[in-house]
Amino acid sequence: MKSTSVIASVFVTVIAFGPVAVAASPPSDSPPNIVIILADDMGFSDLGCYGGEIKTPNLDSLANQGLRFTQFYNTARCWPTRGALLSGYYAQQIHRDALPGLGGGGQGVRQSWAKLLPDYLQPAGYRSYHSGKWHIDGKVLDAGFDRSLDMRNQGSFFTSKGNSIDDVPVKAPTDEEGYYATIATADHAISCLQEHAENHADKPFFHYVAFIAPHFPLHALPEDIAKYQDAYRDGWDAMRATRFARQKELGITTTTLSPLERDLGPPYAFPDAMQKLGPDEVNRPLPWNELNESQQQFQATKMAIHAAMVDRMDQEIGRIIDQLKSMNAFDNTLILFASDNGASAEIMVRHGGHDPSAAPGSAATYLCLGPGFSSACNTPHRRHKTWVHEGGISTPLIAHWPRGIQSANELRHTPAHVIDIVPTVLEIVGIEKHTHLGGEEIPDLPGKSLTPAFATDQTIRRDSLWWLHDGNRAIRVGDWKLVAAEGDPWELYDLTSDRAEQDNLAPRMPEKVKQLEQVWQQQTDSFIQLAKQTLADQPKRRRAAAKSSNK
């Protein structure tokens, strides 16, 4: 088997950049360090700099000194976003999400040509580190990372059970008092950076920090929950209105505020979970005044825990920033922050179950945000994680790089997508991706470099942006978006004024629907054709699902 470095050397070409020397005070022509920070199930409006009331001073500071993208997209689900983010391909191109007639999902295995970002960067002298959630196929170090904390979060933020260090499973200690996953993620990231400064200061680095917060179960430290204990007593209706007003002030949105879809609940039904959680759980975003006092208290407490998780994540990001500053790397580090999907309407009880007598947010509880406050977290957009309406796929993107981005506290309105991250990094570093590997043609990356938008607020030209997940499908061409939930007819929206997706133009513009549907189908057909070439290489379970879906 070829080593990772040999494979990488035939895969990319280093074009040109200055001497690879990151000393105490790096020279101006040194290649930048890259830090990508990903949240899990965080809503579009959760950060203070995107209109939220949650205390996120560290991320707000990065935004105030850098850029905020207002139309940045993910894939609506965790593992497809992670595969797309680090490979530069749509997840369906690399077997990391399902295609019609081919089955698939999170068990798919990437093709040999579908390398991840570290393999691109290694020939340019970079060392790569991973801290947090993985949820990509294969082992982490085999993907080109030099160190890794693979955090599985098996039903609790208060245990290291299931974690691996450098792909070696760790044995969780009997007493883990004081352990909290978000802090542990930052601890590992800081350890990697400290070790890099001590032993590899002559090399640039890439660090992928993937927090699990604020994904369910809603677990947070008591002192963090206390900050928000009474913050959400007025309910999700009031929270949405307040956040929306703030977003308008900030220039984050020009749309209307989407009304709550009171009949739309979680994407998957778990009736047993509703029994375990009791009568205070509500699986519909009903008007707040229709809930009784006990239900209101329960729901407000869940949102307080969600806020505490985001707050703590920001605190830990602050520690990582401090480490970058202490090693004189902050100014020449491109920091990108995003979320893997919108806030989640899911309600379930997994793993160790739920003890209703335990303090909410503690290890013995298993709570999920649910559709009411998920709608508020996704303000002003419609729907949630797994849907490809704007609420499911819209994420903040903060870009901060003092040495490379001269603008500060500015908005960028170009539509963009996680598939754009790899092309952006390759252009910044000065790497050209090869078109062939072992005599085989490698598909072009579908994304675009965002570097022009780093300089000015301009639209990055592209043919389209495409989505498919769990039968939910969409295509965006310019400012036109065609979208449909699984089993529903196409809806058509003009996103210049209607990102809330309220004025369905499909009945009035059938020709535009037909035109965009053809674009979506052509893209889908091309992905199917590509995936079929290596379908036989997929795990037996995946192939069996594909065969079943063809019946």
Side-chain angles (χ1 to χ4, degrees):
M1 179 182 291
K2 293 181 179 179
S3 69
T4 302
S5 59
V6 173
I7 293 173
S9 68
V10 300
F11 192 66
V12 296
T13 297
V14 180
I15 301 174
F17 49 76
V20 183
V22 182
S25 182
S28 60
D29 57 354
S30 295
N33 307 302
I34 310 294
V35 174
I36 297 176
I37 304 174
L38 195 66
D40 197 332
D41 286 12
M42 192 192 79
F44 180 74
S45 66
D46 274 337
L47 302 182
C49 56
Y50 277 81
E53 70 295 320
I54 301 173
K55 295 177 175 63
T56 55
N58 294 295
L59 286 167
D60 294 351
S61 178
L62 293 180
N64 290 336
Q65 299 167 20
L67 305 174
R68 281 167 293 165
F69 285 71
T70 64
Q71 297 192 75
F72 193 74
Y73 291 114
N74 49 49
T75 72
R77 196 68 173 271
C78 44
W79 69 86
T81 289
R82 291 158 204 277
L85 174 72
L86 290 187
S87 74
Y89 291 97
Y90 284 108
Q92 288 79 0
Q93 291 181 280
I94 58 172
H95 296 296
R96 293 300 295 155
D97 205 358
L99 282 163
L102 297 186
Q107 301 302 316
V109 176
R110 288 172 291 121
Q111 302 91 330
S112 60
W113 48 259
K115 305 300 180 184
L116 302 186
L117 191 51
D119 266 339
Y120 289 105
L121 294 174
Q122 192 177 63
Y126 279 75
R127 286 180 60 81
S128 295
Y129 308 106
H130 159 254
S131 304
K133 188 172 180 176
W134 181 236
H135 217 173
I136 303 175
D137 59 304
K139 294 184 177 180
V140 185
L141 298 195
D142 287 349
F145 287 90
D146 295 286
R147 288 183 59 183
S148 166
L149 164 62
D150 181 358
M151 186 172 287
R152 298 300 176 94
N153 184 29
Q154 295 188 349
S156 177
F157 278 76
F158 298 106
T159 180
S160 61
K161 183 180 178 181
N163 291 357
S164 295
I165 298 289
D166 297 338
D167 292 327
V168 178
V170 300
K171 185 177 181 180
T174 305
D175 182 8
E176 292 197 273
E177 185 177 354
Y179 181 92
Y180 185 64
T182 304
I183 296 174
T185 299
D187 283 345
H188 183 266
I190 291 167
S191 171
C192 290
L193 292 172
Q194 289 173 339
E195 189 263 343
H196 185 93
E198 291 171 4
N199 301 320
H200 307 284
D202 61 330
K203 296 179 181 292
F205 59 82
F206 163 54
H207 205 133
Y208 173 48
V209 184
F211 288 102
I212 298 177
H215 191 286
F216 58 81
L218 297 177
H219 283 167
L221 301 177
E223 61 266 32
D224 293 334
I225 298 173
K227 296 181 186 178
Y228 302 95
Q229 194 62 58
D230 298 321
Y232 301 102
R233 297 286 181 87
D234 291 339
W236 44 66
D237 301 308
M239 175 178 156
R240 294 176 81 238
T242 301
R243 286 193 177 189
F244 181 59
R246 177 66 176 150
Q247 288 176 323
K248 298 287 262 187
E249 291 176 10
L250 294 171
I252 297 294
T253 188
T254 58
T255 189
T256 57
L257 177 61
S258 61
L260 291 174
E261 297 179 82
R262 62 175 293 153
D263 295 325
L264 184 73
Y268 319 109
F270 293 97
D272 59 327
M274 295 298 293
Q275 280 189 321
K276 294 174 183 176
L277 293 166
D280 289 337
E281 186 56 278
V282 179
N283 66 354
R284 293 293 185 272
L286 302 175
W288 189 251
N289 60 13
E290 292 186 16
L291 275 58
N292 64 43
E293 185 176 348
S294 182
Q295 289 173 326
Q296 289 180 349
Q297 177 63 51
F298 184 77
Q299 299 299 319
T301 298
K302 290 200 302 175
M303 182 60 211
I305 303 168
H306 174 91
M309 296 172 80
V310 174
D311 183 312
R312 173 54 60 176
M313 178 179 64
D314 182 83
Q315 292 180 57
E316 300 309 309
I317 290 171
R319 292 176 57 219
I320 295 171
I321 290 171
D322 288 343
Q323 174 59 35
L324 291 171
K325 290 179 177 178
S326 73
M327 55 197 282
N328 293 318
F330 183 68
D331 285 351
N332 199 32
T333 297
L334 170 63
I335 301 175
L336 300 172
F337 173 88
S339 178
D340 64 352
N341 43 249
S344 175
E346 295 164 288
I347 296 178
M348 63 186 73
V349 176
R350 288 178 175 172
H351 303 289
H354 171 71
D355 180 357
S357 67
S362 65
T365 61
Y366 203 102
L367 302 172
C368 301
L369 190 59
F373 276 114
S374 174
S375 295
C377 291
N378 292 330
T379 301
H381 303 135
R382 177 183 169 201
R383 299 203 171 178
H384 324 264
K385 169 185 175 181
T386 77
W387 281 278
V388 296
H389 289 74
E390 294 290 287
I393 59 176
S394 296
T395 168
L397 176 67
I398 297 172
H400 180 276
W401 179 22
R403 184 164 291 177
I405 298 176
Q406 302 305 313
S407 302
N409 196 25
E410 292 187 5
L411 302 178
R412 295 294 184 260
H413 300 293
T414 184
H417 191 283
V418 290
I419 57 171
D420 298 331
I421 298 303
V422 167
T424 301
V425 172
L426 296 188
E427 180 172 340
I428 287 171
V429 173
I431 288 177
E432 182 179 349
K433 185 180 79 70
H434 277 192
T435 58
H436 291 77
L437 176 65
E440 300 261 340
E441 185 175 355
I442 302 169
D444 292 335
L445 292 173
K448 303 292 183 182
S449 171
L450 301 179
T451 54
F454 285 178
T456 61
D457 186 17
Q458 59 180 280
T459 298
I460 306 295
R461 297 193 177 278
R462 67 180 80 229
D463 292 334
S464 65
L465 290 170
W466 175 95
W467 290 269
L468 176 64
H469 182 70
D470 272 7
N472 305 312
R473 58 206 188 277
I475 191 85
R476 176 168 177 165
V477 177
D479 287 320
W480 290 103
K481 182 181 177 185
L482 194 68
V483 61
E486 182 183 19
D488 288 350
W490 287 111
E491 302 165 5
L492 176 66
Y493 299 104
D494 179 358
L495 298 187
T496 55
S497 58
D498 189 22
R499 284 191 71 195
E501 296 170 316
Q502 295 305 297
D503 185 13
N504 179 12
L505 301 173
R508 287 166 275 168
M509 303 182 69
E511 288 303 314
K512 176 61 74 172
V513 172
K514 183 178 180 180
Q515 174 194 351
L516 295 180
E517 183 179 24
Q518 288 176 343
V519 177
W520 184 88
Q521 192 62 56
Q522 289 170 358
Q523 188 87 301
T524 304
D525 290 344
S526 72
F527 292 169
I528 291 173
Q529 183 179 6
L530 177 64
K532 280 183 174 179
Q533 295 174 14
T534 49
L535 190 61
D537 300 332
Q538 294 302 296
K540 291 181 180 179
R541 184 168 42 169
R542 163 76 189 273
R543 296 204 304 270
K547 187 179 293 185
S548 175
S549 67
N550 277 317
K551 290 181 178 179

